[in-house]
Amino acid sequence: MARETGWERSRDPVGIWEHRGKVALASRGHAPTDRRWDGVSMDKTLGAYTIIAANAAIEDAGIKPSDIDGIITSPGGQPGGAPIGDTWGPVRPYFAPPYNTEDGLTQVTGEWLARQMGLKNVRYFNSHGDTIWNLIGLAAQCVGDGRCNVALVTYPTGNLEGRYHRNPDTRVRGPAQWSSPWGWGLSGQGFTFEQYCRKYGSNHDRMAPFVVQEHKNGLLWPGSYYAQHEPQPFTTEDYLNGRWIAQNLSIFDCDRPVNTAAAYIVTTAERARDMRHKPVYILDHTESTFQPRSLVQDLDDTEAFCKVQAERSYAGSGLRPKDIDIFLPYDGFAVFTQYFIEAFRWRGVNKGEAHDLYAMDITPQGPNPLNTGGGNMGTGRMRTAFFSDPIEQIQGRAGARQAKKAEIAVTHGVLPGNAATIVMSSTPG
Amino acid sequence: MAILLSFDIDGTLEVGDPPGGITMEMVRRAYEAGYLIASCSDRALSSQKAMWARYNIPAVFTASKHQLPNMRAAITADAYYHIGDRDTDEQIAAENGFGFWWNHEGVSEPWLTLQTPHGVQTPGGEDVSG
């Protein structure tokens, strides 16, 4: 099908979601997490990993493949389903089917997945999802609207080289002459962070407790790259000795690219009650997209964007800041997470106060359980800890990461200017 | 004659991610021949220390890439070399008076030929004796 637009809840006033508590996340499944694909191991392609994740989610839900009647995916994990890194072809030859195109190598569409898994009962395909927050919002809306009842939602995050977005150019022209001096694209977040620190009297070192705690949490989540491959603790000394990528953006503020896939079962609340684990009810999804006033997004832009989206989310869910037990704001660049915390006023944190929160107890078992799954800093650039962890928390199976109270979890991402918020609950509200 | 060898890890050493061609046995051989061994990498310092501990090779320093000048000031040697796989490695070596080998050049253990009767030679032939 063609890409559908207009499903987003992005027009104020959004009002309480019409499907509030009638749609649920039932399960999660993960493939192994590698640093990159070696171009040789056909059992470790992005497609193979997505199949592993899909089967794991189906098994976790206690259902059969034949129960799946919808597949909703972001084939490459980026906006529009694009892959984040390089494509395999055309400079390299493709392989024998089913790896004779990009599908299965650097992106995985629902149609490819259904063919490989023999999913015969799928009547709704949507392979035009965006990043994971928008993707889960899309899936929730589709299930709520009755397009399918048991949706398999997949989120592959591929990585061929281990690095991406490298720009070999030594000269810039046009508008880039104003932004490139700050580094590649979103390296400009360092500039915004500098503005933040000057305005509120903070500094980069005060990020350390947050990033270190995320690494601790990530080591407790089996899907994490670090839990699987580098299980030694990440320390404050490590963080403070990180190299600047752009000033005020350390290498340890940037998530590590990985190669993996995750899958979820999104279904009606009624159907979810018959599945293996208790439902994680979706109370709301809201979305927003903004453009900065100038070429480089500054602090005023950033705070304004986040405020609009946070207020939209509260209006859509009917919740208040004090209702959120676990907050999971995106940290793909760790230096922008404070904008989300402050906009949502979680734990009463106002503008300029998030670094004070970082200095408090933000452990999963403490009073301020923040990014209990480790975020991207503690897991790698897979983004799915922001859903798999709260699912496990609300279902009471987060193990050593289990928060004392896990009834309402809210996750938000991907960027200040392009965001969605998903509100999850142990009850239908 | 004290010669310091600073190794990048990822893409350079066999235990890196991606693996490089320089084996830990080559590093051990250099250590046992009396070279001062160190690492300078974008890896977290704790990860670098864990690597050296795992192979029981005492490193005279572990550093992030931007810290190479501090390490040169802190460690006295007659000559300093860095081995890496990225432009960043070549740049920091040049800026801080380290001789430099690319990772693929390091596979032939060129440092083993450095200690000659005539002093310490760089990969390019110039004398970098400290």
Side-chain angles (χ1 to χ4, degrees):
Chain A
M1 62 171 283
R3 179 178 172 82
E4 185 175 336
T5 60
W7 61 269
E8 299 91 347
R9 282 169 43 78
S10 56
R11 296 264 186 266
D12 296 320
V14 290
I16 299 294
W17 187 36
E18 70 268 30
H19 303 307
R20 187 182 199 267
K22 297 174 186 171
V23 178
L25 282 151
S27 71
R28 86 290 182 260
H30 286 269
T33 303
D34 299 332
R35 186 74 171 82
R36 60 180 61 76
W37 182 50
D38 60 11
V40 175
S41 306
M42 305 313 287
D43 59 337
K44 295 182 176 184
T45 64
L46 195 59
Y49 272 12
T50 305
I51 292 171
I52 291 172
N55 280 322
I58 290 168
E59 192 278 333
D60 191 46
I63 60 176
K64 301 185 295 295
S66 57
D67 292 324
I68 303 296
D69 66 354
I71 301 179
I72 301 168
T73 183
S74 174
Q78 287 295 91
I84 189 168
D86 294 340
T87 55
W88 178 261
V91 294
R92 292 169 282 208
Y94 289 110
F95 304 90
Y99 297 111
N100 52 341
T101 70
E102 292 298 321
D103 209 354
L105 293 175
T106 56
Q107 57 177 319
V108 183
T109 63
E111 291 82 354
W112 186 95
L113 192 65
R115 284 195 299 274
Q116 307 316 315
M117 294 181 67
L119 300 175
K120 307 287 189 194
N121 296 331
V122 178
R123 59 186 169 91
Y124 178 74
F125 287 97
N126 190 321
S127 295
H128 299 280
D130 295 309
T131 54
I132 185 77
W133 295 268
N134 295 66
L135 180 67
I136 296 294
L138 171 66
Q141 192 65 45
C142 288
V143 169
D145 290 347
R147 296 186 175 203
C148 53
N149 286 316
V150 181
L152 173 64
V153 181
T154 54
Y155 195 69
T157 45
N159 187 31
L160 294 176
E161 306 291 348
R163 300 178 169 102
Y164 39 65
H165 290 161
R166 283 176 291 167
N167 185 347
D169 293 341
T170 56
R171 295 173 61 87
V172 292
R173 299 169 183 82
Q177 68 185 295
W178 306 109
S179 56
S180 289
W182 299 104
W184 169 82
L186 288 166
S187 304
Q189 290 295 333
F191 160 72
T192 314
F193 186 82
E194 169 72 14
Q195 285 191 309
Y196 176 91
C197 289
R198 276 193 277 116
K199 182 173 182 178
Y200 298 116
S202 192
N203 60 69
H204 187 267
D205 288 0
R206 300 187 71 216
M207 291 285 298
F210 170 56
V211 176
V212 169
Q213 185 61 50
E214 285 200 297
H215 277 268
K216 287 179 184 173
N217 297 352
L219 289 180
L220 299 174
W221 185 58
S224 162
Y225 173 82
Y226 297 99
Q228 294 180 21
H229 300 283
E230 291 184 18
Q232 66 267 18
F234 181 87
T235 67
T236 299
E237 181 196 23
D238 290 332
Y239 183 74
L240 297 180
N241 283 285
R243 175 168 66 88
W244 290 136
I245 298 300
Q247 189 166 355
N248 284 299
L249 180 73
S250 156
I251 194 168
F252 297 125
D253 295 320
C254 304
D255 49 9
R256 195 167 187 178
V258 295
N259 190 66
T260 188
Y264 301 92
I265 299 297
V266 177
T267 184
T268 63
E270 184 179 2
R271 183 77 174 82
R273 290 185 194 106
D274 295 330
M275 295 186 183
R276 178 164 291 155
H277 302 285
K278 70 178 189 180
V280 174
Y281 298 94
I282 298 176
L283 299 189
D284 186 45
H285 71 88
T286 48
E287 291 78 21
S288 61
T289 307
F290 303 97
Q291 285 291 325
R293 296 165 299 172
S294 186
L295 293 170
V296 175
Q297 179 183 312
D298 67 10
L299 180 63
D300 289 344
D301 290 328
T302 302
E303 290 184 332
F305 298 165
C306 295
K307 181 174 187 288
V308 169
Q309 175 57 24
E311 290 178 350
R312 184 173 292 160
S313 176
Y314 283 129
S317 68
L319 300 181
R320 292 163 294 181
K322 68 181 181 60
D323 297 322
I324 302 173
D325 299 320
I326 300 172
F327 192 44
L328 306 112
Y330 189 49
D331 66 338
F333 291 103
V335 294
F336 60 46
T337 306
Q338 70 269 348
Y339 310 130
F340 304 143
I341 296 170
E342 293 168 10
F344 278 82
R345 305 185 311 284
W346 186 62
R347 293 296 186 266
V349 172
N350 292 306
K351 283 183 181 178
E353 297 177 351
H355 296 175
D356 297 334
L357 178 74
Y358 294 166
M360 299 167 67
D361 183 352
I362 55 172
T363 62
Q365 288 79 28
N368 311 300
L370 177 66
N371 282 353
T372 38
N376 270 24
M377 289 302 114
T379 64
R381 193 191 174 281
M382 62 183 76
R383 294 177 173 160
T384 44
F386 292 93
F387 284 93
S388 295
D389 173 68
I391 288 171
E392 293 173 7
Q393 294 280 355
I394 289 173
Q395 291 177 335
R397 52 175 175 142
R401 301 182 332 277
Q402 186 68 50
K404 287 181 180 171
K405 186 167 183 279
E407 295 174 7
I408 300 282
V410 173
T411 183
H412 174 89
V414 63
L415 299 172
N418 174 21
T421 308
I422 305 295
V423 180
M424 294 163 273
S425 171
S426 62
T427 66
Chain B
M1 181 69 66
I3 300 175
L4 186 146
L5 301 178
S6 158
F7 291 92
D8 170 49
I9 299 173
D10 296 322
T12 298
L13 297 182
E14 66 172 330
V15 295
D17 182 9
I22 298 172
T23 67
M24 296 309 284
E25 190 51 41
M26 294 175 185
V27 178
R28 181 178 303 286
R29 197 152 40 232
Y31 168 67
E32 290 175 350
Y35 293 79
L36 302 175
I37 303 299
S39 56
C40 180
S41 159
D42 279 333
R43 279 204 180 190
L45 298 184
S46 61
S47 175
Q48 295 185 44
K49 289 171 183 168
M51 178 192 77
W52 292 122
R54 193 162 58 248
Y55 287 91
N56 198 27
I57 297 174
V60 295
F61 69 74
T62 54
S64 296
K65 288 190 178 176
H66 65 291
Q67 296 173 326
L68 202 59
N70 305 348
M71 296 303 114
R72 171 153 186 156
I75 305 295
T76 300
D78 297 294
Y80 300 80
Y81 295 89
H82 180 67
I83 302 98
D85 72 323
R86 309 286 300 159
D87 292 344
T88 316
D89 292 297
E90 184 184 37
Q91 180 184 344
I92 58 169
E95 289 176 350
N96 295 290
F98 281 61
F100 179 71
W101 285 291
W102 290 102
N103 54 331
H104 61 272
E105 296 173 324
V107 172
S108 62
E109 301 173 82
W111 44 83
L112 294 180
T113 65
L114 285 176
Q115 300 195 66
T116 72
H118 306 293
V120 179
Q121 301 297 315
T122 69
E126 66 269 33
D127 190 339
V128 295
S129 298

